[in-house]
Every structure is written in C-alpha cells, then in structure tokens.
Amino acid sequence: MGKDILSVRDMQQDFEKIIDLAIDLKKERYRRYPEADNKTLAMIFEKPSTRTRVSFQVAMDQLGGHSIVLNPSDMQLGRGETIEDTARVLSSFVDVIAYRAFKHHNMVTLARNSTVPVINALDDIEHPVQMLADFMTIKEVKGKLSGLKLVYVGDGNNVTNSLLYACAILGINMIASTPQDFGPDPTIFMMAKEMAREKNAVLTISHDPANDMNGADVIYTDVWVSMGEEDRKERKERYFEGFQVNRQLIARARKDYMFLHCLPAHRGLEVSEEIIDGPNSYVFQQAENRLHTEKALLLWLLRNKNI
Ligand code: CP
Ligand code: NVA
C-alpha cells in the first residue's frame, strides 16, 4: 500500500533525507513537534530488544507523542486471535505500529491488514530501521557515503540483507564476506546488485575476509547466531572460524577504518574485545543514533503518509 516500512527499499527515495533529518534532530533533542501531538505508536515484540524498543519509545515521547509496548504473550494474539484481526483493531486505536517478528510472512500480514503504517522492527529477512542509524553514523564520521567501501564479515543474515539494499541505494561498494553456506539471501543479493549498478557501486559475496578487507572504510559484523536460531548454535558456530573481526583479520583495512556492530555483541566470538573497545569502534555512537533516526523516521512518516 506504500504506507509501510517493511524493507530498506520502502525508504529508497528518501533514505538519505531521513538520515539528514536525524542529524538535525540530534542537535535539538528535546524539541517537540506538533505533527506528533496526540499520536500514538504501538510496538509488538515477539523477540527481545533493548535498542529498538527503548529508542522507539523515547523517540515518540520526545517528539511529543505517546507509545505503548505490547508483548504478544500478554495479548489475545498469544491465545490464537489472528494477526488480521489484531491489525484491524490496533489500527483503530493507534497511528503507527512497529513490529518485531519471527516470520516476515507475519510482518506482511500485519501490514496488509493495518490501515496505519507498519514499521519492520526486525524480522528474519531484514532489519531496515537499523540501517538508518548505521549510515547516519558513517556520514557523521566520514562526512560522505557514496564511494566508500564497506566489508561485512560473518553470518549472512537479516542485517546483511538490509545492508546490501542500503549500500545499493547510497552507492557504497560492499563485500559480504561469509562462510560458504552462510551467505545473504540470494534473491535480495541479485536485486540489490541490480540497484547498485545505477549508482556505480559494486556488491560482492566473498569468503576470504582477510583479503576482502583491502582498503575497507567500514568493517561491520553481527552475531553468528541470530534470535530464533539458538537451537542451531552448536552446529553453526564451527563454520565461523577465521571470521572473527580481530587485529590480524583487519590488517589490510584503511588505517582510519570504522568498526560497526548493530549490537548486542558477543565479545570473543564475532569480534575481539580489542576491536570493539578500540579507538576505531563507533558502536555506541551507532547505538545512540538509533534514537535520532527513529525520531526522524516517525516524523517523516507523520509528515508524508497522511497520518
Ligand atoms: N540492534 C538492535 O536492534 O538491538 P535490539 O535487539 O536491542 O533492539
Ligand atoms: N541478526 C541479529 C540482529 C540483532 C539486532 C538477530 O536477528 O538476532
């Protein structure tokens, strides 16, 4: 319906504008906006969250609106009420819905049956709102986006899929450096590659992280085992030997590389303590920017989607 943010692609036209709005909002954290007056954001979390949940809640409050957090096990959803009916009912109470779901299919069902915008607050396919904070942080530090080289090392997951779209939109060259059988979604990779061509950017999948680091401006990693995959932990982690971001692995990156991680991190697994706590790590600036970018996204929705 064009009202929802289920994928990075749903922000394609205005992606950098939303980032620039966030950079502005960061300068005046406590300013209220009449557009948010009396507006309510409802959030449904099927999986745990610290950053997304708190940043969205504080964002809506600081803008001058209201927010409520819903846990499916406390809702009739947990007793078998359908997503379709839940969507219709919630739409009659609130103005925006953010949803963290196990299955992308359920995300789409909620969006199709809601009359208000639905924001994907992470599912098994994408994590679009994370991207705004990531690329805002890169823009703050590097002063530009287009033409940079980003190397993602680790598991090809929801974050990797969204990074591919975001790099394609922004004209950033990206290598997804993953173990052989743990690459990003192949369909998303093909689509993002096609989009990147228009921006003269190149997206690549590779399995040779130390080499891939050559000239990297940004090094990004995420957990090897995502939420909902815990039962695969033992079987999966052994494929990731050689994919830890540590001093040795990043030897060929640029001296002024930035290290990013969407967090939560597992120090000693996907990243060494030395790197995540080192001078080139911007992970806490990145986390703080979740707040400013959630505000920018909400304001952009309130202004542009007839809410
Ligand atoms: N990065 C991120 O989405 O963190 P949370 O799971 O804490 O929301
Ligand atoms: N890939 C991770 C991201 C957490 C913010 C997960 O889905 O668990």
Side-chain angles (χ1 to χ4, degrees):
M1 289 172 69
K3 63 180 177 45
D4 308 301
I5 307 294
L6 304 193
S7 162
V8 176
R9 282 187 304 156
D10 297 323
M11 299 181 274
Q12 183 164 359
Q13 301 307 329
D14 287 339
F15 195 80
E16 206 164 344
K17 278 192 205 144
I18 300 172
I19 289 175
D20 290 338
L21 177 58
I23 291 173
D24 271 349
L25 295 177
K26 191 171 179 175
K27 295 175 193 146
E28 266 192 290
R29 182 184 284 230
Y30 296 106
R31 179 163 161 201
R32 297 166 88 85
Y33 290 81
E35 297 91 327
D37 199 23
N38 260 328
K39 301 290 193 240
T40 302
L41 164 72
M43 286 173 271
I44 308 171
F45 283 92
E46 288 179 2
K47 312 187 205 185
S49 169
T50 298
R51 280 145 289 268
T52 308
R53 176 185 151 144
V54 179
S55 63
F56 262 119
Q57 195 158 18
V58 174
M60 197 56 170
D61 293 351
Q62 287 185 353
L63 289 173
H66 309 279
S67 59
I68 44 178
V69 179
L70 301 164
N71 179 339
S73 61
D74 300 331
M75 297 168 75
Q76 298 292 2
L77 252 182
R79 295 183 56 247
E81 186 170 21
T82 64
I83 294 180
E84 287 87 338
D85 288 355
T86 306
R88 284 183 67 175
V89 172
L90 284 182
S91 296
S92 68
F93 297 145
V94 306
D95 306 283
V96 185
I97 301 171
Y99 180 30
R100 172 165 287 192
F102 278 105
K103 297 196 182 102
H104 184 69
H105 170 76
N106 289 342
M107 180 72 64
V108 173
T109 305
L110 186 83
R112 283 217 177 111
N113 291 279
S114 295
T115 53
V116 301
V118 171
I119 301 172
N120 179 351
L122 180 148
D123 63 22
D124 51 340
I125 306 290
E126 277 204 61
H127 193 4
V129 289
Q130 177 70 48
M131 296 302 118
L132 292 168
D134 300 349
F135 291 93
M136 171 181 177
T137 313
I138 297 170
K139 191 163 185 182
E140 283 178 328
V141 175
K142 297 282 177 202
K144 63 169 191 175
L145 291 167
S146 167
L148 294 175
K149 173 175 177 178
L150 183 148
V151 181
Y152 174 90
V153 185
D155 185 31
N157 59 18
N158 44 9
V159 170
T160 329
N161 293 336
S162 287
L163 281 170
L164 285 165
Y165 280 140
C167 285
I169 290 168
L170 297 167
I172 294 176
N173 302 301
M174 172 174 166
I175 302 182
S177 190
T178 70
Q180 198 78 39
D181 295 326
F182 296 92
D185 182 294
T187 312
I188 291 182
F189 176 68
M190 291 315 291
M191 285 199 290
K193 210 170 155 61
E194 200 55 43
M195 285 160 63
R197 221 190 300 268
E198 276 172 41
K199 295 283 168 83
N200 291 320
V202 180
L203 308 182
T204 318
I205 295 178
S206 174
H207 312 292
D208 185 4
N211 251 327
D212 298 335
M213 286 297 165
N214 208 357
D217 298 287
V218 182
I219 300 168
Y220 196 123
T221 192
D222 184 17
V223 291
W224 291 339
V225 177
S226 285
M227 290 180 278
E229 293 189 321
E230 288 77 6
D231 57 334
R232 296 177 60 202
K233 191 172 186 311
E234 300 293 306
R235 261 184 303 141
K236 203 173 165 187
E237 275 179 3
R238 58 198 164 93
Y239 291 96
F240 285 81
E241 204 185 322
F243 284 83
Q244 182 191 73
V245 178
N246 55 35
R247 197 181 346 168
Q248 199 187 345
L249 192 88
I250 65 158
R252 295 188 188 177
R254 281 178 59 100
K255 288 256 168 313
D256 62 351
Y257 79 89
M258 294 175 68
F259 174 74
L260 296 179
H261 189 312
C262 58
L263 304 181
H266 294 106
R267 287 171 164 76
L269 285 179
E270 73 270 10
V271 59
S272 69
E273 200 128 23
E274 183 184 30
I275 296 292
I276 193 168
D277 295 326
N280 293 49
S281 173
Y282 292 87
V283 298
F284 294 107
Q285 182 172 332
Q286 179 186 8
E288 181 195 320
N289 284 341
R290 293 295 306 273
L291 171 64
H292 310 298
T293 49
E294 310 311 14
K295 284 167 86 166
L297 178 63
L298 288 167
L299 203 51
W300 179 78
L301 281 174
L302 292 166
R303 285 174 178 168
N304 295 292
K305 301 285 175 182
N306 239 345
I307 304 174

